[in-house]
Amino acid sequence: MPSLPNSGDEGGAPPPTPPPPGARRVVVAHRLPLRADPNPGAPHGFDFSLDPHALPLQLSHGVPRPVVFVGVLPSAVAEAVQASDELAADLLARFSCYLVFLPAKLHADFYDGFCKHYMWPHLHYLLPLAPSYGRGGGLPFNGDLYRAFLTVNTHFAERVFELLNPDEDLVFVHDYHLWAFPTFLRHKSPRARIGFFLHSPFPSSELFRAIPVREDLLRALLNADLVGFHTFDYARHFLSACSRVLGLSNRSRRGYIGIEYFGRTVVVKILSVGIDMGQLRAVLPLPETVAKANEIADKYRGRQLMLGVDDMDLFKGIGLKLLAMERLLESRADLRGQVVLVQINNPARSLGRDVDEVRAEVLAIRDRINARFGWAGYEPVVVIDGAMPMHDKVAFYTSADICIVNAVRDGLNRIPYFYTVCRQEGPVPTAPAGKPRQSAIIVSEFVGCSPSLSGAIRVNPWNVDDVADAMNTALRMSDGEKQLRQEKHYRYVSTHDVVYWAQSFDQDLQKACKDNSSMVILNFGLGMGFRVVALGPSFKKLSPELIDQAYRQTGNRLILLDYDGTVMPQGLINKAPSEEVIRTLNELCSDPMNTVFVVSGRGKDELAEWFAPCDEKLGISAEHGYFTRWSRDSPWESCKLVTHFNWKNIAGPVMKHYSDATDGSYIEVKETSLVWHYEEADPDFGSCQAKELQDHLQNVLANEPVFVKSGHQIVEVNPQGVGKGVAVRNLISTMGNRGSLPDFILCVGDDRSDEDMFEAMISPSPAFPETAQIFPCTVGNKPSLAKYYLDDPADVVKMLQGLTDSPTQQQPRPPVSFENSLDD
């Protein structure tokens, strides 16, 4: 079965092998990384070239070639250029850009409608609280726009499928515009090797659960092999949403986080995107950059320059930044004339009333501040609106004493990274030659770059006084302190650039996909509910034909059945067996060639009461095999391994403490064990408490003859030497001692405790006859020692009913007595 990749240390998997000849990296993003300059004389009216500022292009640096880009045309030319096969062939031949054709109306509904006015606000913690559009809300969910979103994602998947070699190519998918893409490509190419990176925040599960199609969106990401996030917070929110919405758990191993999803391990990666150091270093020494830096130095000579660079949108906190500047000048009259805030507003990525209102608010605050605190020759706040050449922007980064990022929510925000490199390597006119470089960064705690900038002054952007205090702190910071912070940030930024990110993502995607080619793949579901069930090469679904034939041809059968989650579903209020289960067990027991056992962790009295209506031949192994009876009329036998249960006096109060502190949990007291259940508790809190409880119990019971283990939403304390594996070995050994070693064994279970039974099937004692038919079977397709699986308890009961209808070819074996068998 697929598993989490290893980190390459001792005992782990080796690093990924070099890609085979012809293997490509297919980079899929909303827009192609192209720049288009109008030229009436050009074949299509534009001169196309690769855009060095396009993030998908930058993030392809460092990965093996060839690289193919898939997307739509840049917005500036999408409506002006007539899409054609000739244009597509030209872009593919010259730039390795594979064009996706979208009608204008469909693209508008997809991008401006669903992406920018529903998904983007929602991911940035903005709920559409009003039924009509307005600032501060975005659009409510609209089924037509969502269908347009799915249609566009389908078109992207179709285009990628046209060029994909699934056994060799790696597919890199960028950002929320293509959220549904993994589902549609997985449907077309089940073995495709897909990595998805979300450049936006992933909101807390409370916010994400408000999306009407939340299950579809989570399943879409889980159809990728690798899902990447900028920060642990975003990954944690994703894992929590998977737990709360889909009931999926995750596990960590050697630095990797994985989610088990229908036999596949979806790897979760955490690594923020860096900057293109090569591109920036090419701009820094340009004459235009140096000239602009000198111009800025002359203009603001004698004053400290604070810089903000933001896209014009709701979430960048530009207005709050200006209010903090106003508060600073109110409280520090001595700074008037000594400090200037230059705010560069990049063009908005999407138009709307919200953007217009933000711009109007920013300009109004600027005018008020300048009127209150400015004079001829001094403007405290300078707002530069619109696109700015890269070399001009770099000159401002180089010249600024302080950089301020005050966004109320942002996926990453690389502005502090650019600022740090420019301050270190750029032409700083005010810095004497050879003097160590200095910088100060004020960063919102709600942006993705904040965790990586340990030397920055972190602020709550909603607290204007807090931001004003941070500005004051940065202005008063000593040169030595600024130097140390600059050195610290530069070490990180210079070593975690786009090349580092691309190589790391590429390597981890290879590791996550290493088992794809060897898996047996089954397709299930339609539309956004589609998923693949991945099976290991030797792991397959237990077919009726296979087991029916073996059942008919054997004459001494042992059938071992777990209870909860195997013959009865989990989560029922009434835990007792259904009439259908009782009837099926009776039919199995009525065959003299069958020995049937229920092997459960439940208490013996409870099981005896529940199965009282069953045939007297039904055997029960209770409390993980501590108590066993071979038939209804035979006495209970114990393994007699433990002489006392005084440890319960230690474990009981500890469990009660955690039960009192964890709403929805409870304690189950058995004769030989104690079980703490938390299936009705909050999933995150319950899981956290379970880990704490397990550690606590292991410490206080270290000298007792017991072991502590965790199972499906339980923590259990059992006597040492007791387990389902031991119980099954004893049953088989007893049958062998009585001259009746089984030639057919069906063993079915669903959780960790049942893996002990499957292990007993692998290494039996005594050894089974060579002709014996052995069927270890788990419930649910998941990593297991079993060779077979069935989907759910309903499948198990149906399979057992099929056996009772099978005509047998063997003569019945003579009856064998098992009275007091464990004492022999």
Side-chain angles (χ1 to χ4, degrees):
M1 295 299 294
S3 60
L4 281 174
N6 290 302
S7 57
D9 52 346
E10 185 176 352
T17 57
R24 296 167 299 179
R25 283 7 182 213
V26 181
V27 179
V28 191
H30 171 218
R31 296 197 186 277
L32 291 171
L34 293 174
R35 183 167 57 195
D37 299 315
N39 181 0
H44 306 286
F46 288 88
D47 286 328
F48 289 97
S49 61
L50 288 174
D51 182 1
H53 305 300
L55 188 59
L57 178 62
Q58 294 178 356
L59 294 179
S60 70
H61 300 335
V63 301
R65 267 35 194 171
V67 175
V68 180
F69 301 96
V70 180
V72 302
L73 287 171
S75 57
V77 298
E79 296 182 7
V81 173
Q82 181 68 35
S84 64
D85 292 339
E86 180 186 356
L87 173 61
D90 180 51
L91 296 179
L92 181 60
R94 289 200 291 153
F95 308 112
S96 293
C97 287
Y98 204 64
L99 181 59
V100 178
F101 301 100
L102 296 178
K105 174 65 166 60
L106 176 62
H107 184 266
D109 288 346
F110 154 75
Y111 184 70
D112 295 315
F114 190 78
C115 288
K116 296 305 292 185
H117 286 113
Y118 182 77
M119 281 295 288
W120 186 72
H122 209 115
L123 295 176
H124 289 76
Y125 287 70
L126 199 59
L127 288 174
L129 300 177
S132 60
Y133 172 76
R135 185 188 170 191
L139 291 174
F141 182 84
N142 181 297
D144 291 335
L145 296 181
Y146 178 59
R147 282 186 285 276
F149 172 77
L150 297 183
T151 300
V152 169
N153 276 257
T154 302
H155 285 327
F156 270 81
E158 289 170 349
R159 292 295 279 172
V160 170
F161 181 66
E162 291 171 2
L163 58 87
L164 187 68
N165 181 342
D167 293 329
E168 295 183 352
D169 297 340
L170 295 181
V171 182
F172 291 25
V173 189
H174 289 289
D175 220 6
Y176 67 96
H177 315 91
L178 300 174
W179 194 300
F181 174 90
T183 289
F184 296 122
L185 183 59
R186 184 71 66 194
H187 184 267
K188 291 180 171 296
S189 180
R191 297 184 190 280
R193 307 196 290 174
I194 307 171
F196 181 95
F197 194 88
L198 183 65
H199 294 272
S200 298
F202 194 103
S204 67
S205 63
E206 287 76 11
L207 269 292
F208 188 84
R209 280 151 52 200
I211 299 176
V213 290
R214 59 192 187 180
E215 293 92 349
D216 290 348
L217 296 181
L218 287 176
R219 292 191 186 103
L221 295 192
L222 293 170
N223 273 320
D225 297 288
L226 176 71
V227 182
F229 301 93
H230 285 304
T231 72
F232 174 70
D233 272 352
Y234 303 160
R236 177 170 56 86
H237 295 159
F238 170 65
L239 296 173
S240 178
C242 289
S243 172
R244 293 173 180 274
V245 176
L246 301 179
L248 300 175
S249 59
N250 62 84
R251 60 193 179 99
S252 298
R253 182 171 182 263
R254 294 181 178 175
Y256 289 91
I257 303 172
I259 301 174
E260 300 300 332
Y261 186 65
F262 292 100
R264 298 167 48 245
T265 300
V266 181
V267 178
V268 177
K269 181 176 180 61
I270 303 162
L271 181 63
S272 60
V273 169
I275 63 174
D276 189 336
M277 295 289 290
Q279 179 206 23
L280 195 54
R281 284 169 174 161
V283 176
L284 283 169
L286 292 177
E288 299 94 327
T289 305
V290 177
K292 186 64 177 180
N294 289 329
E295 176 190 326
I296 295 169
D298 291 340
K299 184 174 181 179
Y300 299 107
R301 193 173 302 280
R303 293 171 177 153
Q304 292 206 60
L305 177 60
M306 296 193 294
L307 178 67
V309 181
D310 300 280
D311 293 343
M312 178 59 72
D313 66 51
L314 280 171
F315 302 105
K316 294 304 185 288
I318 303 172
L320 293 170
K321 187 189 306 181
L322 268 57
L323 290 176
M325 179 66 174
E326 184 176 38
R327 189 66 52 85
L328 175 69
L329 296 177
E330 286 174 347
S331 60
R332 290 285 309 276
D334 58 305
L335 291 178
R336 300 170 191 173
Q338 303 299 312
V339 59
V340 175
L341 171 61
V342 174
Q343 175 62 41
I344 301 174
N345 295 333
N346 297 324
R349 300 191 184 187
S350 182
L351 301 179
R353 196 171 74 188
D354 54 339
V355 174
D356 296 337
E357 291 182 355
V358 169
R359 179 179 289 107
E361 178 187 63
V362 168
L363 296 179
I365 298 174
R366 176 203 63 182
D367 293 343
R368 185 178 72 232
I369 295 173
N370 289 341
R372 290 183 63 190
F373 305 110
W375 56 76
Y378 172 60
E379 288 185 332
V381 177
V382 178
V383 175
I384 303 174
D385 238 339
M388 177 182 287
M390 181 65 176
H391 55 78
D392 284 3
K393 199 175 291 184
V394 167
F396 271 105
Y397 289 137
T398 299
S399 305
D401 300 287
I402 300 167
C403 177
I404 306 175
V405 174
N406 201 51
V408 297
R409 189 71 60 178
D410 208 351
L412 177 63
N413 200 309
R414 299 188 296 167
I415 298 301
Y417 297 168
F418 289 113
Y419 170 71
T420 296
V421 175
C422 290
R423 289 292 288 178
Q424 185 71 26
E425 301 185 10
V428 181
T430 57
K435 181 181 178 181
R437 300 301 179 90
Q438 306 167 2
S439 70
I441 298 174
I442 299 171
V443 63
S444 163
E445 62 190 59
F446 300 120
V447 300
C449 66
S450 176
S452 62
L453 298 170
S454 56
I457 303 173
R458 295 190 178 95
V459 294
N460 175 4
W462 298 103
N463 186 337
V464 174
D465 290 332
D466 186 27
V467 181
D469 289 342
M471 290 177 173
N472 186 46
T473 299
L475 290 167
R476 298 174 59 184
M477 191 178 293
S478 68
D479 290 349
E481 184 68 18
K482 289 182 180 180
Q483 176 188 333
L484 290 174
R485 293 175 185 242
Q486 165 67 19
E487 290 173 353
K488 190 173 192 179
H489 292 157
Y490 181 73
R491 278 196 301 271
Y492 175 83
V493 175
S494 61
T495 56
H496 292 74
D497 62 352
V498 290
V499 172
Y500 177 85
W501 182 93
Q503 291 176 344
S504 178
F505 195 85
D506 187 273
Q507 291 171 5
D508 285 348
L509 180 55
Q510 289 187 60
K511 293 176 184 177
C513 302
K514 62 183 176 64
D515 296 326
N516 284 24
S517 59
S518 62
M519 291 182 196
V520 178
I521 301 292
L522 303 177
N523 296 350
F524 286 92
L526 300 172
M528 286 296 286
F530 175 81
R531 63 192 182 276
V532 296
V533 175
L535 313 178
S538 60
F539 187 65
K540 56 187 176 181
K541 190 168 185 177
L542 185 56
S543 66
E545 297 79 13
L546 178 64
I547 194 168
D548 287 354
Q549 181 180 9
Y551 186 87
R552 291 195 305 269
Q553 295 175 350
T554 51
N556 187 14
R557 312 183 195 102
L558 175 62
I559 300 173
L560 305 167
L561 304 171
D562 173 47
Y563 182 73
D564 294 283
T566 298
V567 295
M568 288 296 292
Q570 298 276 10
L572 298 177
I573 300 298
N574 182 7
K575 309 291 186 181
S578 64
E579 292 183 3
E580 182 183 27
V581 169
I582 296 293
R583 183 170 58 254
T584 302
L585 292 176
N586 282 338
E587 290 174 354
L588 287 171
C589 292
S590 66
D591 189 330
M593 301 185 194
N594 293 343
T595 299
V596 183
F597 262 87
V598 173
V599 185
S600 172
R602 289 189 174 272
K604 62 182 179 65
D605 295 336
E606 185 176 44
L607 292 173
E609 179 183 352
W610 284 351
F611 290 104
C614 280
D615 188 288
E616 65 176 15
K617 288 177 56 185
L618 177 68
I620 297 176
S621 186
E623 301 197 21
H624 297 294
Y626 191 91
F627 294 107
T628 299
R629 75 177 191 189
W630 287 80
S631 66
R632 185 174 60 198
D633 298 329
S634 63
W636 286 100
E637 304 163 355
S638 69
C639 56
K640 300 177 182 179
L641 292 173
V642 179
T643 57
H644 69 83
F645 293 94
N646 296 336
W647 56 265
K648 286 188 176 183
N649 298 326
I650 303 173
V654 174
M655 282 191 174
K656 185 177 185 305
H657 169 74
Y658 282 84
S659 182
D660 292 342
T662 311
D663 189 30
S665 67
Y666 63 94
I667 302 170
E668 179 185 3
V669 179
K670 304 177 184 178
E671 285 189 48
T672 64
S673 62
L674 293 175
V675 187
W676 185 73
H677 295 260
Y678 62 95
E679 63 266 20
E680 297 177 7
D682 177 273
D684 292 336
F685 185 56
S687 177
C688 177
Q689 291 289 80
K691 293 176 183 176
E692 290 289 330
L693 174 59
Q694 186 173 3
D695 289 343
H696 195 160
L697 289 172
Q698 286 172 341
N699 286 332
V700 299
L701 298 174
N703 297 321
E704 299 294 332
V706 297
F707 68 97
V708 183
K709 66 178 182 178
S710 61
H712 180 66
Q713 297 179 325
I714 63 167
V715 175
E716 188 168 11
V717 184
N718 285 305
Q720 288 180 351
V722 175
K724 290 186 178 182
V726 176
V728 167
R729 285 190 176 94
N730 287 339
L731 293 177
I732 296 172
S733 177
T734 299
M735 294 179 70
N737 292 338
R738 297 294 184 179
S740 185
L741 197 65
D743 56 4
F744 172 100
I745 300 179
L746 171 64
C747 179
V748 190
D750 76 300
D751 65 14
R752 296 178 191 173
S753 64
D754 300 313
E755 294 297 312
D756 294 340
M757 292 198 294
F758 303 146
E759 187 176 13
M761 301 294 99
I762 297 173
S763 53
S765 178
F768 299 134
E770 291 185 4
T771 58
Q773 304 284 337
I774 313 298
F775 297 93
C777 178
T778 188
V779 180
N781 177 25
K782 55 185 181 291
S784 173
L785 293 173
K787 290 179 59 178
Y788 304 96
Y789 80 94
L790 292 169
D791 288 326
D792 51 41
D795 267 6
V796 175
V797 174
K798 183 178 179 181
M799 179 267 297
L800 295 175
Q801 291 171 342
L803 296 181
T804 62
D805 297 333
S806 299
T808 59
Q809 300 176 2
Q810 295 283 333
Q811 293 298 316
R813 58 177 166 82
V816 178
S817 173
F818 296 108
E819 297 297 324
N820 300 320
S821 55
L822 293 184
D823 292 333
D824 291 349

